[in-house]
Amino acid sequence: QKEVEQDPGPLSVPEGAIVSLNCTYSNSAFQYFMWYRQYSRKGPELLMYTYSSGNKEDGRFTAQVDKSSKYISLFIRDSQPSDSATYLCAMSAAGGTSYGKLTFGQGTILTVHP
Amino acid sequence: KAGVTQTPRYLIKTRGQQVTLSCSPISGHRSVSWYQQTPGQGLQFLFEYFSETQRNKGNFPGRFSGRQFSNSRSEMNVSTLELGDSALYLCASSLVGGLQETQYFGPGTRLLVL
């Protein structure tokens, strides 16, 4: 079983829809949670970064972390065709063996059609 | 500030050959992490270097190796290439590789093994 599970989709929504992306994890040592966006033929770029349980909002994006359930979410409001990309959740764990290591979900392919 | 750069962007090799990929981190960043991205396995951590020392290593065979130079630039090498090594190889840099730090990714090197 993978440490981080993410539904790969694909997910197709109309422009303006609210998109919900989710990941579950099994390693209780994960403390920092990130969402990256990756366009085709590009490297991942950081969208959201959270530490504690709760919500964090940045423009049209809201990240939620529920450590008790080992569940994280990313919501995209008023989705745009330019949001079409692969969304990757990533996590980092405490401990000396965690230097420079992010553990990623499989990624969800999102298409927003006009 | 310039981002993470990777060279070459594309490579075609045949089985049994070896390959060297290069990564230049963001100026001032001393930690460089390498990842392999494939459709089946997603993004997987290869190793991390800091101050010319490998501090962390993922679950990859010894054919995968790397090094870091005094200017923080890093190279990774794959010897005796196999078809399954075809992937997008990404490097990411951060200041010191702490678990709470953001990693910034390069565009990747796409390797095709024939």
Side-chain angles (χ1 to χ4, degrees):
Chain A
Q1 185 187 5
K2 293 189 175 185
E3 285 186 290
V4 181
E5 298 281 355
Q6 182 178 6
D7 186 343
L11 187 59
S12 180
V13 301
E15 183 175 355
I18 297 175
V19 176
S20 173
L21 304 166
N22 312 292
C23 289
T24 59
Y25 62 95
S26 56
N27 187 350
S28 56
F30 287 137
Q31 294 189 4
Y32 293 88
F33 305 90
M34 290 136 271
W35 286 94
Y36 281 84
R37 177 175 62 193
Q38 186 175 24
Y39 291 113
S40 180
R41 302 190 181 282
K42 302 278 189 180
E45 59 175 328
L46 182 69
L47 273 178
M48 299 288 284
Y49 176 102
T50 54
Y51 169 61
S52 59
S53 286
N55 293 0
K56 182 177 181 180
E57 190 173 317
D58 184 2
R60 296 185 295 112
F61 299 91
T62 300
Q64 284 186 351
V65 174
D66 182 349
K67 286 187 177 180
S68 63
S69 301
K70 297 189 176 65
Y71 186 87
I72 70 170
S73 301
L74 177 71
F75 297 94
I76 307 174
R77 291 184 299 280
D78 188 25
S79 56
Q80 302 295 310
S82 59
D83 294 329
S84 299
T86 298
Y87 289 80
L88 299 148
C89 63
M91 308 176 188
S92 60
T97 59
S98 298
Y99 289 119
K101 178 182 179 181
L102 295 177
T103 302
F104 284 85
Q106 185 74 4
T108 299
I109 301 171
L110 171 67
T111 300
V112 181
H113 51 85
Chain B
K1 189 182 275 191
V4 178
T5 58
Q6 292 187 246
T7 56
R9 293 294 309 279
Y10 302 94
L11 266 179
I12 300 176
K13 293 286 187 179
T14 57
R15 278 180 299 174
Q17 288 187 311
Q18 75 166 14
V19 67
T20 299
L21 313 180
S22 181
C23 172
S24 292
I26 291 172
S27 177
H29 285 191
R30 295 164 61 195
S31 169
V32 174
S33 299
W34 287 90
Y35 296 84
Q36 180 195 67
Q37 187 175 29
T38 59
Q41 298 297 319
L43 263 153
Q44 293 186 286
F45 173 76
L46 280 158
F47 31 65
E48 185 259 6
Y49 284 86
F50 176 78
S51 291
E52 302 177 66
T53 301
Q54 185 183 91
R55 291 193 302 185
N56 203 358
K57 188 177 189 305
N59 189 25
F60 278 83
R63 299 186 297 107
F64 292 82
S65 62
R67 59 177 175 169
Q68 187 181 35
F69 302 94
S70 59
N71 61 358
S72 296
R73 189 177 69 85
S74 178
E75 289 181 346
M76 70 162 281
N77 182 276
V78 188
S79 62
T80 319
L81 284 166
E82 300 177 359
L83 295 179
D85 297 333
S86 294
L88 180 66
Y89 290 89
L90 293 157
C91 81
S93 76
S94 63
L95 282 170
V96 294
L99 73 94
Q100 76 279 15
E101 288 189 76
T102 298
Q103 291 190 15
Y104 296 88
F105 283 82
T109 295
R110 190 165 296 277
L111 171 65
L112 177 61
V113 181
L114 301 175

